Amino acid sequence: MTGPFRTEIGGRIDRTRRIDFRFDGRLYSGHPGDNLASALLSHGVHLLGRSFKYHRPRGVLGAGSEEPNALVRVGSYESRATPNLRATQVEIHDLLVAESQNRYPSLSFDVGAINDVLSPLFPAGFYYKTFMWPAWGWRRLYEPIIRRMAGLGRAPTAPDADIYAQRYVHCDVLVVGAGPAGLAAARAAAQGGARVLLCDEQSEFGGSLLSEPDTTEAGRNRLAWRAATLATLAASDNVTLLTRSTAFGVFADNFVALVERVTDHLANPEPALPRERLWQVRARQVVLATGAIERPMVFAGNDRPGVMLAGAARTYLHRYGVRTGRRIVLATSADSAYGVAMDLHRAGLTIAAIADVRNEASGPLAAAARAAGLPLRTSTHIAATHGRLRIRGATLARNGTGAREKVACDLLLMSGGYTPTVHLYSQARGTLRFDESLGAFLPGGDTGILQVAGACRGIFATDVAIADGAEAGTVAAARTDPGGAPQPVRTISVPDSGALLAREAPCDRRAFVDFQNDVTTKDLRLAVREGFVSVEHVKRYTTAGMATDQGKTSNINALALVANERRMDMAAVGLTTFRMPYTPVTFGTLAGAARGNLFDPIRQTPIHAWAEDRGAVFEDVGMWKRARYFPAARETMAQAVARECRAVRTGAGLFDASTLGKIEVVGPDAAIFLERMYVNNFRKLAVGRARYGLMLGEDGFVLDDGVIGRLAPDRFHVTTTTGGAPRVLAMMEDYLQTEWPDLRVWLTSTTEEWAVVSIQGPRARDIIAPFVIGIDLAPQAFPHMAVAEGTILGVNLRIFRVSFTGECGFEINVPADYGSDVWHAIMQQGTVFGLTPYGTEAMHVLRAEKGYIIVGQESDGTATPDDLGLGWAIGRGKSDFVGKRSLARAAMRDPSRKQLVGLLTSNGETVLQEGAQIVTAANGNASIGHVTSAYFSTTLGRSMALAMISGGKARMGEKLLAPMLDRTHEVTVAPAMFYDPKGERLYG
Amino acid sequence: MLLIPCPYCGPRPELEFTYAGEANISRPAEPESLSDEQWAAYLYQRTNPRGMHAERWRHVHGCGRYFNASRDTLSDQFQFSWKPGESPP
Amino acid sequence: MAEQPVRQSALGAARATQGPHAAACLRALPAASRFSFRGSPPEAETAGVAFGVPFSLQSCRAHQTEDRAALWLGPDEWLLLAPEDAARAVQAALIRALGERPYALIGIAHRNTALEISGPRATMVLNAGCPLDLHTSRFPVGMCTRTILGKAEIILWRTASEVFHIDVWRTFAPYVWDFLIEARARL
């Protein structure tokens, strides 16, 4: 059934098709082209929501993205539901299910409305003042209750089932807004040869052209001009047209973020289509044609359902064919209201009264209204409104005299003039100026890469806006082609307008300024009286201009009140900062494809698949997946780690060390460069030998470590920690490129070139020797810290004799694509020797038994080499290296610095918590250090820990205390070396 | 996202770069000859200006080069960029 | 004794094959020899002669012959691509030509892997994660550069108006592949 308030003809809707949708469980009908608000209004439904704080019944205020009241939840499944959508922007389709918000049990009967009766108790900042006592009350009592009572929509509880996409796009000219000025700008820019992108937040292009009568002041047919312009644009190869796309953020250098709503308006979208797409646009020139938003009038009871912006009523009439009421009162301070009054009058609606607060209503529009016999009253304001779920009447009062008159109506339209939509201009750091005649802030001018056109800069007449847009488009296109003809310039200036800003509004607890946050004139006055001077503070104290609409309809009225209260100019009061997003953006859009397995790259070593087959448990190390342990059937982690450690100590273990960072340092000055970067000596390192390298920051603290092998006089193979690889390479490049550009040396990351198979244990040599060709692995020929190149199984090999376990060990580097097969072959060969794969957990235990540090675990960015017991690594006689000067500071040699020691618990079983603080028996309140690593060691048959303890080296044998959650444990300080202190196994 | 003028590759999106602090701070040739105060000044003291700032960037996901650029810290606009060792234009 | 190891591509069999697609086709490129050449322009010029492809001194440009290519990646850095079996020959030729002059030649055949995206909407697929302007006027055939795709670094080289070669570190290759497939599905 067609809604009873639908006009017989006209509008942009397709009356031949009917759409059925649900709102609050009831079935309604509408037509293609309708949004939720227009379809409901066609059935006379004005009540769409309850207000934030007082639960007052609220209707539709506007007709676009500025709507503060009519917020709905859309979607019947939690996984696809979206709260707080503006009914004025939700297009209807046959499967649309929408619900009103913030009401219980129903929209027409809401128990929360008790807050409205109690509203004198809830002035601005009431919760800061009221809920002070008892101290625990806020978290446990008040906040939960307030959260339940006040608020907007409910966040969905299920993971978002929709798909989102993102796209970067580049253009010469981006035009934001496709009203008359935007369309003209896009056409002119395209004719100038530019690559043009035109976007508009609405479902079709046209902006105000769709909302106003057929012909303009100059006699132009609006829709015919729109159609012709769009046809030209559609036929141009260099133009991209984007409807349902909101430019919500402008960033440096004309980087503009748009969100395109791809499928929300469709009942059955293609499953592969994303719901929304983020367009990240880089434009050489931007033209903002974002239009203007009408201001409400501020009077008591200005928020009842049936109170609406005048321009919105006109939009519903012309664009949607909907009469928003039958008998109308208009409250205005601007000439534009008379145009609306004439439109509605012609459409057969009764104009019961026009109350203009100004002393005079001049201009052609007011004259026309007078001529048509419309009941115009100047110097008149609205003193009160009547009705509960819908307005029934208004009391008009003569300014100053107190003469009152009650007028019955079912629609009250407000027009306080128009506020240019300068949000994006302001985000682009354009400066604003206050224009008294418009009662609005206007863009100060052109930034050189961004221009403003049409209503957005105060040019409201359609014909002038079209001319203004065309000029902006021409200028933008010309600027992208600096070699072209003389640069055109803008010639149109902003005219005066007859709007009066409602600075003198009644102080009333029901005269709403911000509808979305229930902020009244009384709240704002209170805030100023209580000493909030800055508008930013007033905003935060009263919440005016917050939440999903960010004060689109309320900001200027709120500022005017503050200015009036403080007896200041608007310009001096200033504006709150415009921040992105212009309208709310879903998290899905911002995340795009970065979910699930595309959240981050998942870096897997060449041996990953083997480990996965073997049932390895993985851990994340940065983006890498590393095998943590390899549980056999029914083994716990502790059992698996104990077995893996035993295998390394008694036979042999195989470890995937492919994630280790690798840098190839090549060039005639390679050794000199490494000497400067590392604390160690490298010039004297022989070819075929390797050395433990320690890298400091310039502040003298340990940054990274690794093994560095010399393959040739001018070629080194450097390893870094897994996590430190990019940082180390960047730091090396920094010194090389900017401090020592004279050095002839080049750095190349080879982390991913080599798969690294580390074999450790007394049987390691026996297992690999048969495979290795061209290298004698005998202990004398290939001792600890030797390196050589040869082949293994016919592929290139770089082999290091190194150990991170304290056992005899080899790190076998092979080209990564061969890593899996080489690992497999060694595993097969090693079976008879009990070769066991081990993971990072066993690796940690084995190295801790030897007191080998892990950078970032034992060290925390404040440890010197001496603190970590690594002073021996510093090359003697070196005049300089990165960090050396800082080590010379007295504080770096303070004997009370935290130093690396071992800790043994008295019971031998308790594994201390990593991070546990250590205290002395004499002073249990002052921490003297902390545990950095703690494990149970199967080899030792007891627990062990490494710790950084103040003056630790001088405390050997001292008893200390480690308070933990269960109880305080006694520990004894020991050397940070629990196993094979003489290194006999290592060198064997 | 800033558009950063790499002196080797031309203007490129900020995503490809890393910031590398204030420019024109050379590592002293003989750190040992500096007092603790002088060394601390080299390590930590920076101008942090409001307005034009000479700074270093690295086109890490591009040509890999460190370079110098002058950027207005108020507007985020780059004025120009130059290669290390060269003088600003 | 174990068998001779076989190369296993970082992309794996699951990702290496994709049927034709109207918008953009994706395929893994065969294994190749790859070197990172580092040095100053005079050494680069000599190396180019030895390699058989001149090294571009213009930034972000690649030169190629039928089966070899040299891509400018930085003012002292070129990526050399050659058939898989040419590795030893390339290395030997450059060592011979450059003698004692300062340069660095690093084998990175296994560090990187390559894939190709081609088709009328290849640029749009790439722009799902690559922030560069890929219009032919801004990114012509023969242009190459390191850049970003989503959260991975790639080398992007336009080999024909609708064909792009992507070189990427091996552990990022599955991500890049899956990212492009996802992006193509959302056009």
PDB file of all heavy atoms in Angstrom, chain C residues 71-73 77 79 108 111-112 115 144-148 153-157 164-169:
ATOM      1  N   LEU C  71      67.558  -4.432 -13.244  1.00  0.00           N
ATOM      2  CA  LEU C  71      66.601  -3.472 -12.702  1.00  0.00           C
ATOM      3  C   LEU C  71      67.310  -2.502 -11.762  1.00  0.00           C
ATOM      4  O   LEU C  71      67.971  -2.932 -10.810  1.00  0.00           O
ATOM      5  CB  LEU C  71      65.490  -4.201 -11.911  1.00  0.00           C
ATOM      6  CG  LEU C  71      64.372  -4.917 -12.671  1.00  0.00           C
ATOM      7  CD1 LEU C  71      64.939  -6.111 -13.460  1.00  0.00           C
ATOM      8  CD2 LEU C  71      63.295  -5.386 -11.704  1.00  0.00           C
ATOM      9  N   TRP C  72      67.153  -1.208 -12.021  1.00  0.00           N
ATOM     10  CA  TRP C  72      67.673  -0.180 -11.109  1.00  0.00           C
ATOM     11  C   TRP C  72      66.838  -0.211  -9.837  1.00  0.00           C
ATOM     12  O   TRP C  72      65.624  -0.054  -9.884  1.00  0.00           O
ATOM     13  CB  TRP C  72      67.577   1.196 -11.762  1.00  0.00           C
ATOM     14  CG  TRP C  72      68.161   2.347 -10.987  1.00  0.00           C
ATOM     15  CD1 TRP C  72      69.369   2.933 -11.195  1.00  0.00           C
ATOM     16  CD2 TRP C  72      67.551   3.083  -9.902  1.00  0.00           C
ATOM     17  NE1 TRP C  72      69.567   3.970 -10.314  1.00  0.00           N
ATOM     18  CE2 TRP C  72      68.480   4.095  -9.504  1.00  0.00           C
ATOM     19  CE3 TRP C  72      66.343   2.996  -9.230  1.00  0.00           C
ATOM     20  CZ2 TRP C  72      68.211   5.005  -8.466  1.00  0.00           C
ATOM     21  CZ3 TRP C  72      66.074   3.891  -8.194  1.00  0.00           C
ATOM     22  CH2 TRP C  72      67.005   4.885  -7.815  1.00  0.00           C
ATOM     23  N   LEU C  73      67.461  -0.409  -8.692  1.00  0.00           N
ATOM     24  CA  LEU C  73      66.721  -0.378  -7.431  1.00  0.00           C
ATOM     25  C   LEU C  73      67.180   0.776  -6.545  1.00  0.00           C
ATOM     26  O   LEU C  73      66.463   1.194  -5.648  1.00  0.00           O
ATOM     27  CB  LEU C  73      66.880  -1.698  -6.675  1.00  0.00           C
ATOM     28  CG  LEU C  73      66.232  -2.928  -7.329  1.00  0.00           C
ATOM     29  CD1 LEU C  73      66.401  -4.143  -6.423  1.00  0.00           C
ATOM     30  CD2 LEU C  73      64.757  -2.699  -7.615  1.00  0.00           C
ATOM     31  N   GLU C  77      72.578   0.190  -6.756  1.00  0.00           N
ATOM     32  CA  GLU C  77      72.016  -1.157  -6.599  1.00  0.00           C
ATOM     33  C   GLU C  77      71.187  -1.565  -7.812  1.00  0.00           C
ATOM     34  O   GLU C  77      70.289  -0.838  -8.240  1.00  0.00           O
ATOM     35  CB  GLU C  77      71.119  -1.175  -5.344  1.00  0.00           C
ATOM     36  CG  GLU C  77      70.492  -2.535  -5.084  1.00  0.00           C
ATOM     37  CD  GLU C  77      69.568  -2.568  -3.865  1.00  0.00           C
ATOM     38  OE1 GLU C  77      69.351  -1.505  -3.252  1.00  0.00           O
ATOM     39  OE2 GLU C  77      69.071  -3.658  -3.551  1.00  0.00           O
ATOM     40  N   LEU C  79      69.201  -5.135  -9.557  1.00  0.00           N
ATOM     41  CA  LEU C  79      68.808  -6.537  -9.452  1.00  0.00           C
ATOM     42  C   LEU C  79      69.015  -7.173 -10.822  1.00  0.00           C
ATOM     43  O   LEU C  79      68.505  -6.670 -11.825  1.00  0.00           O
ATOM     44  CB  LEU C  79      67.331  -6.641  -9.035  1.00  0.00           C
ATOM     45  CG  LEU C  79      66.711  -8.045  -9.093  1.00  0.00           C
ATOM     46  CD1 LEU C  79      67.363  -8.977  -8.077  1.00  0.00           C
ATOM     47  CD2 LEU C  79      65.206  -7.979  -8.854  1.00  0.00           C
ATOM     48  N   ILE C 108      71.134 -14.056  -4.773  1.00  0.00           N
ATOM     49  CA  ILE C 108      69.882 -14.015  -4.006  1.00  0.00           C
ATOM     50  C   ILE C 108      68.781 -14.797  -4.730  1.00  0.00           C
ATOM     51  O   ILE C 108      67.594 -14.470  -4.629  1.00  0.00           O
ATOM     52  CB  ILE C 108      69.425 -12.559  -3.755  1.00  0.00           C
ATOM     53  CG1 ILE C 108      69.477 -11.748  -5.041  1.00  0.00           C
ATOM     54  CG2 ILE C 108      70.277 -11.894  -2.668  1.00  0.00           C
ATOM     55  CD1 ILE C 108      68.760 -10.408  -4.942  1.00  0.00           C
ATOM     56  N   ARG C 111      66.436 -16.059  -2.164  1.00  0.00           N
ATOM     57  CA  ARG C 111      65.819 -15.073  -1.272  1.00  0.00           C
ATOM     58  C   ARG C 111      64.513 -14.562  -1.864  1.00  0.00           C
ATOM     59  O   ARG C 111      63.532 -14.372  -1.181  1.00  0.00           O
ATOM     60  CB  ARG C 111      66.767 -13.880  -1.066  1.00  0.00           C
ATOM     61  CG  ARG C 111      66.228 -12.871  -0.074  1.00  0.00           C
ATOM     62  CD  ARG C 111      67.099 -11.627  -0.013  1.00  0.00           C
ATOM     63  NE  ARG C 111      66.859 -10.737  -1.148  1.00  0.00           N
ATOM     64  CZ  ARG C 111      67.432  -9.554  -1.278  1.00  0.00           C
ATOM     65  NH1 ARG C 111      68.306  -9.121  -0.371  1.00  0.00           N
ATOM     66  NH2 ARG C 111      67.179  -8.783  -2.318  1.00  0.00           N
ATOM     67  N   ASN C 112      64.549 -14.320  -3.168  1.00  0.00           N
ATOM     68  CA  ASN C 112      63.371 -13.763  -3.838  1.00  0.00           C
ATOM     69  C   ASN C 112      62.674 -14.837  -4.653  1.00  0.00           C
ATOM     70  O   ASN C 112      63.304 -15.787  -5.127  1.00  0.00           O
ATOM     71  CB  ASN C 112      63.772 -12.656  -4.808  1.00  0.00           C
ATOM     72  CG  ASN C 112      64.259 -11.411  -4.102  1.00  0.00           C
ATOM     73  OD1 ASN C 112      64.603 -11.465  -2.924  1.00  0.00           O
ATOM     74  ND2 ASN C 112      64.274 -10.311  -4.821  1.00  0.00           N
ATOM     75  N   LEU C 115      56.435 -13.516  -9.259  1.00  0.00           N
ATOM     76  CA  LEU C 115      55.163 -13.850  -9.855  1.00  0.00           C
ATOM     77  C   LEU C 115      54.790 -12.758 -10.831  1.00  0.00           C
ATOM     78  O   LEU C 115      55.393 -11.681 -10.846  1.00  0.00           O
ATOM     79  CB  LEU C 115      54.087 -14.064  -8.796  1.00  0.00           C
ATOM     80  CG  LEU C 115      53.902 -13.005  -7.720  1.00  0.00           C
ATOM     81  CD1 LEU C 115      52.495 -12.476  -7.764  1.00  0.00           C
ATOM     82  CD2 LEU C 115      54.179 -13.624  -6.366  1.00  0.00           C
ATOM     83  N   CYS C 144      60.573   0.252 -12.803  1.00  0.00           N
ATOM     84  CA  CYS C 144      60.669  -0.737 -11.745  1.00  0.00           C
ATOM     85  C   CYS C 144      61.030  -0.025 -10.454  1.00  0.00           C
ATOM     86  O   CYS C 144      61.709   1.010 -10.474  1.00  0.00           O
ATOM     87  CB  CYS C 144      61.726  -1.789 -12.078  1.00  0.00           C
ATOM     88  SG  CYS C 144      63.369  -1.087 -12.269  1.00  0.00           S
ATOM     89  N   THR C 145      60.550  -0.546  -9.370  1.00  0.00           N
ATOM     90  CA  THR C 145      60.866   0.063  -8.077  1.00  0.00           C
ATOM     91  C   THR C 145      60.505  -0.885  -6.948  1.00  0.00           C
ATOM     92  O   THR C 145      59.634  -1.729  -7.098  1.00  0.00           O
ATOM     93  CB  THR C 145      60.086   1.385  -7.890  1.00  0.00           C
ATOM     94  OG1 THR C 145      60.456   1.960  -6.628  1.00  0.00           O
ATOM     95  CG2 THR C 145      58.591   1.161  -7.900  1.00  0.00           C
ATOM     96  N   ARG C 146      61.199  -0.724  -5.835  1.00  0.00           N
ATOM     97  CA  ARG C 146      60.705  -1.343  -4.615  1.00  0.00           C
ATOM     98  C   ARG C 146      59.525  -0.513  -4.130  1.00  0.00           C
ATOM     99  O   ARG C 146      59.523   0.709  -4.252  1.00  0.00           O
ATOM    100  CB  ARG C 146      61.785  -1.360  -3.533  1.00  0.00           C
ATOM    101  CG  ARG C 146      62.506  -2.666  -3.372  1.00  0.00           C
ATOM    102  CD  ARG C 146      63.359  -2.681  -2.126  1.00  0.00           C
ATOM    103  NE  ARG C 146      64.437  -1.729  -2.232  1.00  0.00           N
ATOM    104  CZ  ARG C 146      65.724  -2.043  -2.480  1.00  0.00           C
ATOM    105  NH1 ARG C 146      66.086  -3.302  -2.616  1.00  0.00           N
ATOM    106  NH2 ARG C 146      66.638  -1.110  -2.559  1.00  0.00           N
ATOM    107  N   THR C 147      58.513  -1.158  -3.591  1.00  0.00           N
ATOM    108  CA  THR C 147      57.383  -0.439  -3.031  1.00  0.00           C
ATOM    109  C   THR C 147      56.679  -1.352  -2.030  1.00  0.00           C
ATOM    110  O   THR C 147      57.263  -2.335  -1.564  1.00  0.00           O
ATOM    111  CB  THR C 147      56.426   0.060  -4.141  1.00  0.00           C
ATOM    112  OG1 THR C 147      55.379   0.825  -3.539  1.00  0.00           O
ATOM    113  CG2 THR C 147      55.806  -1.084  -4.934  1.00  0.00           C
ATOM    114  N   ILE C 148      55.434  -1.011  -1.706  1.00  0.00           N
ATOM    115  CA  ILE C 148      54.675  -1.733  -0.684  1.00  0.00           C
ATOM    116  C   ILE C 148      53.447  -2.357  -1.337  1.00  0.00           C
ATOM    117  O   ILE C 148      52.813  -1.732  -2.198  1.00  0.00           O
ATOM    118  CB  ILE C 148      54.202  -0.722   0.401  1.00  0.00           C
ATOM    119  CG1 ILE C 148      55.387  -0.200   1.197  1.00  0.00           C
ATOM    120  CG2 ILE C 148      53.166  -1.318   1.304  1.00  0.00           C
ATOM    121  CD1 ILE C 148      55.968  -1.196   2.153  1.00  0.00           C
ATOM    122  N   GLU C 153      56.848  -5.790   1.394  1.00  0.00           N
ATOM    123  CA  GLU C 153      57.641  -5.024   0.428  1.00  0.00           C
ATOM    124  C   GLU C 153      57.785  -5.863  -0.834  1.00  0.00           C
ATOM    125  O   GLU C 153      58.013  -7.067  -0.754  1.00  0.00           O
ATOM    126  CB  GLU C 153      59.027  -4.741   1.024  1.00  0.00           C
ATOM    127  CG  GLU C 153      59.943  -3.988   0.071  1.00  0.00           C
ATOM    128  CD  GLU C 153      61.352  -3.855   0.638  1.00  0.00           C
ATOM    129  OE1 GLU C 153      61.521  -3.080   1.589  1.00  0.00           O
ATOM    130  OE2 GLU C 153      62.262  -4.546   0.138  1.00  0.00           O
ATOM    131  N   ILE C 154      57.619  -5.214  -1.977  1.00  0.00           N
ATOM    132  CA  ILE C 154      57.787  -5.925  -3.244  1.00  0.00           C
ATOM    133  C   ILE C 154      58.659  -5.092  -4.174  1.00  0.00           C
ATOM    134  O   ILE C 154      58.863  -3.902  -3.959  1.00  0.00           O
ATOM    135  CB  ILE C 154      56.430  -6.179  -3.960  1.00  0.00           C
ATOM    136  CG1 ILE C 154      55.707  -4.857  -4.243  1.00  0.00           C
ATOM    137  CG2 ILE C 154      55.562  -7.107  -3.138  1.00  0.00           C
ATOM    138  CD1 ILE C 154      54.513  -4.994  -5.186  1.00  0.00           C
ATOM    139  N   ILE C 155      59.165  -5.756  -5.222  1.00  0.00           N
ATOM    140  CA  ILE C 155      59.742  -5.035  -6.354  1.00  0.00           C
ATOM    141  C   ILE C 155      58.725  -5.159  -7.479  1.00  0.00           C
ATOM    142  O   ILE C 155      58.291  -6.256  -7.804  1.00  0.00           O
ATOM    143  CB  ILE C 155      61.092  -5.649  -6.779  1.00  0.00           C
ATOM    144  CG1 ILE C 155      62.135  -5.431  -5.675  1.00  0.00           C
ATOM    145  CG2 ILE C 155      61.556  -5.053  -8.100  1.00  0.00           C
ATOM    146  CD1 ILE C 155      63.391  -6.263  -5.856  1.00  0.00           C
ATOM    147  N   LEU C 156      58.309  -4.010  -7.996  1.00  0.00           N
ATOM    148  CA  LEU C 156      57.277  -3.993  -9.031  1.00  0.00           C
ATOM    149  C   LEU C 156      57.903  -3.490 -10.318  1.00  0.00           C
ATOM    150  O   LEU C 156      58.538  -2.432 -10.342  1.00  0.00           O
ATOM    151  CB  LEU C 156      56.129  -3.076  -8.583  1.00  0.00           C
ATOM    152  CG  LEU C 156      54.874  -3.064  -9.458  1.00  0.00           C
ATOM    153  CD1 LEU C 156      54.198  -4.431  -9.440  1.00  0.00           C
ATOM    154  CD2 LEU C 156      53.909  -1.984  -8.974  1.00  0.00           C
ATOM    155  N   TRP C 157      57.718  -4.260 -11.380  1.00  0.00           N
ATOM    156  CA  TRP C 157      58.344  -3.929 -12.660  1.00  0.00           C
ATOM    157  C   TRP C 157      57.305  -4.132 -13.751  1.00  0.00           C
ATOM    158  O   TRP C 157      56.742  -5.220 -13.865  1.00  0.00           O
ATOM    159  CB  TRP C 157      59.560  -4.856 -12.857  1.00  0.00           C
ATOM    160  CG  TRP C 157      60.192  -4.841 -14.220  1.00  0.00           C
ATOM    161  CD1 TRP C 157      60.245  -3.806 -15.111  1.00  0.00           C
ATOM    162  CD2 TRP C 157      60.871  -5.938 -14.845  1.00  0.00           C
ATOM    163  NE1 TRP C 157      60.915  -4.177 -16.234  1.00  0.00           N
ATOM    164  CE2 TRP C 157      61.320  -5.474 -16.110  1.00  0.00           C
ATOM    165  CE3 TRP C 157      61.168  -7.245 -14.460  1.00  0.00           C
ATOM    166  CZ2 TRP C 157      62.022  -6.299 -16.998  1.00  0.00           C
ATOM    167  CZ3 TRP C 157      61.878  -8.064 -15.339  1.00  0.00           C
ATOM    168  CH2 TRP C 157      62.303  -7.583 -16.595  1.00  0.00           C
ATOM    169  N   PHE C 164      52.825  -7.035 -15.157  1.00  0.00           N
ATOM    170  CA  PHE C 164      53.751  -6.639 -14.096  1.00  0.00           C
ATOM    171  C   PHE C 164      54.476  -7.860 -13.545  1.00  0.00           C
ATOM    172  O   PHE C 164      53.856  -8.895 -13.293  1.00  0.00           O
ATOM    173  CB  PHE C 164      52.995  -5.976 -12.934  1.00  0.00           C
ATOM    174  CG  PHE C 164      52.420  -4.642 -13.268  1.00  0.00           C
ATOM    175  CD1 PHE C 164      51.166  -4.558 -13.873  1.00  0.00           C
ATOM    176  CD2 PHE C 164      53.119  -3.481 -13.001  1.00  0.00           C
ATOM    177  CE1 PHE C 164      50.618  -3.332 -14.191  1.00  0.00           C
ATOM    178  CE2 PHE C 164      52.573  -2.244 -13.312  1.00  0.00           C
ATOM    179  CZ  PHE C 164      51.314  -2.169 -13.908  1.00  0.00           C
ATOM    180  N   HIS C 165      55.778  -7.702 -13.364  1.00  0.00           N
ATOM    181  CA  HIS C 165      56.617  -8.699 -12.704  1.00  0.00           C
ATOM    182  C   HIS C 165      56.758  -8.255 -11.250  1.00  0.00           C
ATOM    183  O   HIS C 165      57.056  -7.090 -10.984  1.00  0.00           O
ATOM    184  CB  HIS C 165      57.971  -8.734 -13.416  1.00  0.00           C
ATOM    185  CG  HIS C 165      59.030  -9.545 -12.742  1.00  0.00           C
ATOM    186  ND1 HIS C 165      59.560 -10.677 -13.317  1.00  0.00           N
ATOM    187  CD2 HIS C 165      59.673  -9.395 -11.564  1.00  0.00           C
ATOM    188  CE1 HIS C 165      60.493 -11.185 -12.504  1.00  0.00           C
ATOM    189  NE2 HIS C 165      60.567 -10.412 -11.418  1.00  0.00           N
ATOM    190  N   ILE C 166      56.505  -9.176 -10.321  1.00  0.00           N
ATOM    191  CA  ILE C 166      56.656  -8.867  -8.898  1.00  0.00           C
ATOM    192  C   ILE C 166      57.739  -9.763  -8.327  1.00  0.00           C
ATOM    193  O   ILE C 166      57.637 -10.989  -8.412  1.00  0.00           O
ATOM    194  CB  ILE C 166      55.331  -9.104  -8.140  1.00  0.00           C
ATOM    195  CG1 ILE C 166      54.235  -8.179  -8.657  1.00  0.00           C
ATOM    196  CG2 ILE C 166      55.544  -8.906  -6.635  1.00  0.00           C
ATOM    197  CD1 ILE C 166      52.861  -8.488  -8.083  1.00  0.00           C
ATOM    198  N   ASP C 167      58.780  -9.162  -7.783  1.00  0.00           N
ATOM    199  CA  ASP C 167      59.823  -9.918  -7.106  1.00  0.00           C
ATOM    200  C   ASP C 167      59.640  -9.686  -5.612  1.00  0.00           C
ATOM    201  O   ASP C 167      59.455  -8.548  -5.180  1.00  0.00           O
ATOM    202  CB  ASP C 167      61.209  -9.403  -7.539  1.00  0.00           C
ATOM    203  CG  ASP C 167      62.084 -10.515  -8.081  1.00  0.00           C
ATOM    204  OD1 ASP C 167      61.711 -11.072  -9.136  1.00  0.00           O
ATOM    205  OD2 ASP C 167      63.127 -10.815  -7.439  1.00  0.00           O
ATOM    206  N   VAL C 168      59.671 -10.741  -4.829  1.00  0.00           N
ATOM    207  CA  VAL C 168      59.363 -10.586  -3.412  1.00  0.00           C
ATOM    208  C   VAL C 168      60.171 -11.598  -2.610  1.00  0.00           C
ATOM    209  O   VAL C 168      60.505 -12.676  -3.094  1.00  0.00           O
ATOM    210  CB  VAL C 168      57.838 -10.761  -3.181  1.00  0.00           C
ATOM    211  CG1 VAL C 168      57.357 -12.134  -3.626  1.00  0.00           C
ATOM    212  CG2 VAL C 168      57.462 -10.508  -1.726  1.00  0.00           C
ATOM    213  N   TRP C 169      60.512 -11.227  -1.382  1.00  0.00           N
ATOM    214  CA  TRP C 169      61.192 -12.165  -0.493  1.00  0.00           C
ATOM    215  C   TRP C 169      60.316 -13.408  -0.293  1.00  0.00           C
ATOM    216  O   TRP C 169      59.097 -13.306  -0.186  1.00  0.00           O
ATOM    217  CB  TRP C 169      61.463 -11.505   0.868  1.00  0.00           C
ATOM    218  CG  TRP C 169      62.611 -10.561   0.847  1.00  0.00           C
ATOM    219  CD1 TRP C 169      63.211 -10.013  -0.242  1.00  0.00           C
ATOM    220  CD2 TRP C 169      63.297 -10.045   2.003  1.00  0.00           C
ATOM    221  NE1 TRP C 169      64.234  -9.184   0.158  1.00  0.00           N
ATOM    222  CE2 TRP C 169      64.305  -9.187   1.514  1.00  0.00           C
ATOM    223  CE3 TRP C 169      63.163 -10.227   3.375  1.00  0.00           C
ATOM    224  CZ2 TRP C 169      65.182  -8.510   2.375  1.00  0.00           C
ATOM    225  CZ3 TRP C 169      64.020  -9.551   4.225  1.00  0.00           C
ATOM    226  CH2 TRP C 169      65.018  -8.710   3.736  1.00  0.00           C
TER     227      TRP C 169
END
